[in-house]
């Protein structure tokens, strides 16, 4: 039995050691990873860590900001889908839902593309910081206009937008 356990342990250790470092973008023996270091500078550390560790991508700060813009895009889409469901169901307040739909649509068609453009190679990220900070504010306003049915979605957009802005800021403050 102990030979069996030793064999299993050896197999797992060998498998772990055999993984090429190119497949482990965040594995470090000494110090913290770029993701951890970057996320510590954001207002929502756990959201940042969860988003960046679950998404493959670049290992520099610009790449992390670009990943977060795509996460933001997904969260905004989720919010818009929920708004449309609530509108079809006749949920009140109708004016609040209409206002939120406009806000989230603007995020999708204007803000996310501006952020992506701002983060392209050579960009300093200032526009991305501005528009994603604005998106966080819009999510807060949307919550005050709807009083509850979009709380989960508004919170998600608020947090992801805040993380995105904080990471983009690191491009021109470091």
């Amino acid at each position: 039995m102990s030979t069996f356990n030793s064999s299993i342990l050896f197999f797992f250790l060998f498998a772990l050691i055999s993984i090429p470092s190119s497949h482990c973008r965040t594995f470090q023996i000494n110090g913290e990873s770029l993701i951890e270091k970057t996320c510590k500078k954001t207002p929502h550390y756990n959201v940042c860590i969860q988003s960046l560790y679950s998404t493959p991508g670049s290992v520099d700060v610009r790449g992390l900001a670009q990943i977060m813009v795509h996460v933001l895009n997904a969260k905004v889409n989720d919010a818009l889908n929920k708004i449309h469901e609530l509108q079809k169901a006749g949920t009140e307040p109708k004016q609040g839902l209409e206002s939120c739909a406009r806000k989230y649509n603007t995020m999708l068609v204007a803000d996310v593309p501006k952020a992506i453009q701002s983060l392209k190679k050579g960009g300093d990220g200032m526009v991305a910081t501005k528009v994603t900070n604005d998106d966080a504010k819009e999510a807060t306003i949307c919550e005050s206009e709807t009083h509850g049915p979009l709380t989960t979605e508004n919170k998600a957009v608020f947090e992801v937008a805040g993380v995105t802005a904080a990471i983009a800021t690191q491009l021109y403050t470091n």
Side-chain angles (χ1 to χ4, degrees):
M1 184 71 163
S2 74
T3 305
F4 178 72
N5 288 339
S6 298
S7 297
I8 291 175
L9 179 61
F10 177 77
F11 171 77
F12 284 118
L13 286 174
F14 178 76
L16 181 63
I17 293 169
S18 299
I19 298 172
S21 63
S22 62
H23 288 78
C24 297
R25 70 184 173 123
T26 58
F27 180 79
Q28 291 185 2
I29 295 173
N30 295 320
E32 60 192 351
S33 73
L34 176 64
I35 290 175
E36 291 164 347
K37 182 179 176 184
T38 302
C39 289
K40 283 182 179 178
K41 299 176 184 177
T42 71
H44 306 284
Y45 178 81
N46 290 336
V47 170
C48 182
I49 289 290
Q50 182 181 25
S51 297
L52 294 176
Y53 274 134
S54 66
T55 309
S58 179
V59 295
D60 63 359
V61 174
R62 181 176 311 284
L64 298 178
Q66 290 169 334
I67 290 169
M68 289 307 301
V69 170
H70 292 289
V71 173
L72 176 61
N73 187 65
K75 297 298 181 187
V76 170
N77 268 313
D78 291 346
L80 258 176
N81 288 336
K82 178 72 179 255
I83 291 167
H84 295 312
E85 287 175 18
L86 293 169
Q87 287 174 320
K88 285 180 185 175
T91 305
E92 294 290 334
K94 291 180 182 184
Q95 288 179 332
L97 291 173
E98 288 174 21
S99 175
C100 289
R102 286 191 300 274
K103 286 173 179 39
Y104 282 116
N105 190 55
T106 298
M107 290 178 202
L108 279 182
V109 300
D111 296 350
V112 167
K114 284 179 188 175
I116 290 169
Q117 186 63 32
S118 174
L119 295 170
K120 287 195 175 183
K121 190 172 182 171
D124 63 12
M126 283 184 175
V127 171
T129 299
K130 182 188 178 325
V131 298
T132 54
N133 269 327
D134 289 347
D135 291 346
K137 290 174 190 168
E138 294 291 353
T140 301
I141 293 168
C142 184
E143 183 61 25
S144 70
E145 292 175 339
T146 57
H147 308 292
L150 293 171
T151 298
T152 300
E153 293 76 12
N154 289 328
K155 181 179 183 223
V157 170
F158 174 81
E159 290 177 348
V160 170
V163 168
T164 306
I167 294 174
T169 299
Q170 294 177 44
L171 292 172
Y172 60 86
T173 58
N174 288 339

